[in-house]
Amino acid sequence: MTPTWSIRCLRALDAAQIEGLVDVLIDCVEGGASVSFMHPLTRDRAVAFWRRVAHGVAAGERAVLVAEDAHGLCGTVQLIFDLPENQPHRADLAKMLVHRRVRRQGLGAALMRAAEATARERGKTLLVLDAVTDGDAARLYARLGWVRVGDIPRYALMPRGGFCSTTVFYRDLGGP
Ligand SMILES: CC(C)(COP(=O)(O)OP(=O)(O)OC[C@H]1O[C@@H](n2cnc3c(N)ncnc32)[C@H](O)[C@@H]1OP(=O)(O)O)[C@@H](O)C(=O)NCCC(=O)NCCS
């Protein structure tokens, strides 16, 4: 089936894109995703987060990929390049978010592949991320060939409280 969305890497985040990203982030937290924020996530806190991200993009410290469909922005993922000087070959992958209205149609996988392609274009050969242990995202990463390093118990809180364990994954882009 032809995808109903398109994915691109933003050179800068404008006000409308920040609003769309705020909607996606709030939807994910409402849906119970452990993505750094506690529930309820106010619009002000979400806007402040994406404005910081926008500064990071402007400074070349991050790449933000977004997916859009006929209804607007529906997914996003980030690459973080702001790492110690002895890790110029590496990026962290973060804030992989798909709006609930378009889940389970392959957009998560498409965003991951696009992020990996962007990382390669920027000369990165190693990606690292963490995800809630045994959650939807961890299953997606394992399916896409990411290597599971291990679990850290009681790493973070779920948005409505209660500890969750995190699983660290890496992807070697430098291999054959
Ligand atoms: C994790 C997340 C990004 C996955 O996004 P997604 O767009 O649903 O991902 P995909 O559609 O590629 O894959 C999800 C499932 O749909 C299935 N699927 C994909 N295309 C499909 C299709 N056309 N028909 C039926 N099922 C399909 C996949 O096989 C997968 O199944 P599984 O969960 O049983 O393994 C999304 O659930 C999300 O945003 N969660 C909240 C935020 C979050 O936790 N982010 C991760 C931070 S580390």
Side-chain angles (χ1 to χ4, degrees):
M1 210 170 74
T2 313
T4 54
W5 57 75
S6 61
I7 296 175
R8 65 198 168 112
C9 184
L10 299 179
R11 292 182 182 280
L13 275 64
D14 65 26
Q17 286 159 340
I18 287 177
E19 289 300 315
L21 288 161
V22 165
D23 290 338
V24 172
L25 177 58
I26 290 177
D27 177 74
C28 288
V29 175
E30 284 284 332
S34 176
V35 286
S36 307
F37 296 97
M38 298 304 291
H39 182 272
L41 175 57
T42 62
R43 222 168 162 87
D44 282 354
R45 270 159 57 226
V47 167
F49 168 75
W50 285 111
R51 285 194 180 141
R52 284 196 300 277
V53 170
H55 288 304
V57 171
E61 296 168 351
R62 283 172 192 251
V64 174
L65 285 82
V66 296
E68 287 163 293
D69 66 8
H71 304 285
L73 211 148
C74 53
T76 182
V77 66
Q78 293 180 39
L79 291 166
I80 300 172
F81 307 124
D82 184 24
L83 296 175
E85 66 183 25
N86 68 344
Q87 297 163 37
H89 58 295
R90 198 170 81 66
D92 287 332
L93 190 142
K95 292 292 173 293
M96 164 77 177
L97 307 168
V98 170
H99 196 287
R100 284 178 291 179
R101 71 178 169 80
V102 290
R103 284 195 196 158
R104 304 190 66 80
Q105 299 172 33
L107 177 53
L111 278 165
M112 289 300 291
R113 292 298 185 218
E116 290 175 11
T118 300
R120 282 195 181 90
E121 283 163 23
R122 307 279 179 105
K124 305 300 174 185
T125 54
L126 181 66
L127 300 178
V128 176
L129 64 75
D130 67 81
V132 172
T133 302
D134 296 333
D136 292 345
R139 204 164 50 249
L140 172 69
Y141 305 143
R143 178 159 53 87
L144 294 179
W146 285 64
V147 179
R148 181 179 176 140
V149 178
D151 301 344
I152 306 173
R154 297 184 306 283
Y155 185 78
L157 294 174
M158 295 302 286
R160 290 177 173 83
F163 283 116
C164 61
S165 157
T166 201
T167 302
V168 178
F169 289 86
Y170 75 88
R171 179 130 172 94
D172 183 358
L173 300 176

